Amino acid sequence: MKRIAFLLVAVATVAGIVVSAAPTSGPANEEATAPIYGITIPPGYRDWKLIAMDQLLVPGKADQLRAQLGNDIAIKAFKEGKVPFPDGTMIAAIHWTRVPSEDNDKVLAGPFPGAQSFVVGSPVNVQFMVEDSEKYAATGGWGFADFTDGKPGDKALHEICFACHTPAKDRDYGFTHYAP
């Protein structure tokens, strides 16, 4: 019989702290917590609303399709154009490899000769940004996390998160633009 553990996650909100239980694939342990910022994978994040989609292409290194999702606080702030984002904002960025779809190309060949279709391939990682202006004051109010196969990246990876987002300071450290 497969054991399912429950991981308790405290999510900061404007109204206070909400504690949620989410099934994990194994026993709850420190491996499920990202270093430096102490962020865990928020339960139900795959049900958050879509902020935007994009593609990252680094020739010879990366060809990814990416989706950014936001919790209700994030979606409201994006729709209202509110920057800085309020405490409790949570953004998830899900990344997959981008692969050609021969099946779609065949279907599209008649009405759209020469069309090329691409779809998501294997998962790469999921990243999170969590706004808490007091807890993460040293990093512009944001905490960061990166997970691959449910496991957080190492400390060295998380040490570069804020520096990577610094060029987007005028957008409260976020690269994402809301796609209405």
Side-chain angles (χ1 to χ4, degrees):
M1 175 162 46
K2 182 177 179 181
R3 282 183 35 202
I4 297 179
F6 283 85
L7 175 63
L8 293 179
V9 179
V11 180
T13 67
V14 174
I17 299 293
V18 176
V19 178
S20 302
T24 64
S25 59
N29 59 38
E30 290 300 313
E31 290 181 0
T33 302
I36 301 174
Y37 302 99
I39 295 170
T40 58
I41 297 174
Y45 77 92
R46 291 293 299 259
D47 294 326
W48 293 352
K49 293 182 181 169
L50 181 70
I51 298 168
M53 298 282 303
D54 63 67
Q55 176 184 350
L56 172 68
L57 178 61
V58 181
K61 292 186 179 185
D63 190 352
Q64 299 176 358
L65 293 176
R66 300 169 148 218
Q68 292 82 39
L69 309 174
N71 68 358
D72 290 340
I73 298 167
I75 295 299
K76 184 176 189 291
F78 271 107
K79 285 181 176 180
E80 294 173 356
K82 187 173 185 167
V83 173
F85 289 92
D87 281 358
T89 296
M90 297 178 81
I91 299 170
I94 308 170
H95 306 148
W96 300 270
T97 58
R98 182 185 79 127
V99 296
S101 174
E102 291 180 19
D103 290 340
N104 286 355
D105 290 350
K106 289 175 189 174
V107 172
L108 295 170
F112 305 103
Q116 291 182 304
S117 176
F118 298 89
V119 296
V120 298
S122 58
V124 175
N125 65 351
V126 60
Q127 299 173 336
F128 297 96
M129 289 179 66
V130 177
E131 173 71 27
D132 184 324
S133 57
E134 289 183 26
K135 184 175 183 179
Y136 304 121
T139 51
W142 290 99
F144 302 89
D146 184 292
F147 295 88
T148 301
D149 294 327
K151 296 179 182 160
D154 63 15
K155 184 178 178 190
L157 173 65
H158 287 85
E159 286 174 340
I160 63 171
C161 291
F162 181 60
C164 181
H165 284 260
T166 300
K169 182 178 180 179
D170 64 330
R171 295 192 313 260
D172 198 14
Y173 302 96
F175 296 109
T176 304
H177 295 274
Y178 185 65

